[in-house]
Amino acid sequence: MEVLWIVLGLAVAAFGGWPVTAAVLRVARAVEAARPGRDPRYDPAADQVHELAGGVAQEQHQVLPPLPARPPAPAAPVILRGGLVIGFLERLAVATAVLADEPVAIAYVVAIKGLGRYAELKETPAAAERFIIGTLTSMLWAVGAAAAVRAALLQG
């Protein structure tokens, strides 16, 4: 019976994490899209300059010169190739580490995943943000599923 619980827990951790992670990434993208746009021509921190003249603070509005043009944003969100399979394997490894009472193995998973994606993440900040959100969500799901199975096994 314990083997059945372990197999079920690993399946829930590995397969159940995909829709959860995808939903969290959709929420993160919606939150980012809902942020008010900033006018890149002006520095909002420098709209008001206070100068002391004759002991009295005088407020002046100063418009700064335009900031350099930003490179064009990619048309579609950057999606790292192989993410679905890597996420599945990551959750499987993390859940196995929790069930085997080897939490240090989780650090190996994080290190391997980070080193494997380093070049891509360094070049694309949007991909790095998605990577962090997806990894944290995926790992939290796997740890939660494995911890639930572990608690059930310890009770029985």
Side-chain angles (χ1 to χ4, degrees):
M1 188 66 166
E2 287 183 9
V3 173
L4 180 64
W5 276 108
I6 291 171
V7 170
L8 181 64
L10 290 174
V12 167
F15 293 109
W18 175 75
V20 172
T21 302
V24 169
L25 286 170
R26 275 194 304 275
V27 168
R29 192 171 30 250
V31 167
E32 186 64 28
R35 290 179 61 197
R38 296 186 183 130
D39 188 353
R41 295 176 296 173
Y42 303 106
D43 180 2
D47 282 344
Q48 297 178 341
V49 177
H50 299 282
E51 292 182 356
L52 292 176
V56 178
Q58 296 179 350
E59 186 174 306
Q60 297 178 351
H61 294 283
Q62 182 182 40
V63 177
L64 298 176
L67 295 172
R70 293 182 181 177
V78 176
I79 298 174
L80 299 171
R81 293 177 306 151
L84 184 64
V85 174
I86 292 170
F88 170 78
L89 294 172
E90 164 196 343
R91 288 185 296 274
L92 192 59
V94 168
T96 301
V98 171
L99 289 172
D101 198 22
E102 292 291 338
V104 173
I106 297 171
Y108 296 139
V109 172
V110 173
I112 290 168
K113 190 173 178 188
L115 288 173
R117 293 288 196 189
Y118 179 74
E120 293 170 290
L121 299 176
K122 185 178 175 185
E123 293 176 10
T124 316
E129 187 174 297
R130 287 182 53 86
F131 175 83
I132 292 168
I133 293 169
T135 298
L136 288 175
T137 304
S138 185
M139 287 191 173
L140 285 172
W141 176 266
V143 167
V149 169
R150 211 174 140 84
L153 290 176
L154 290 175
Q155 294 295 324

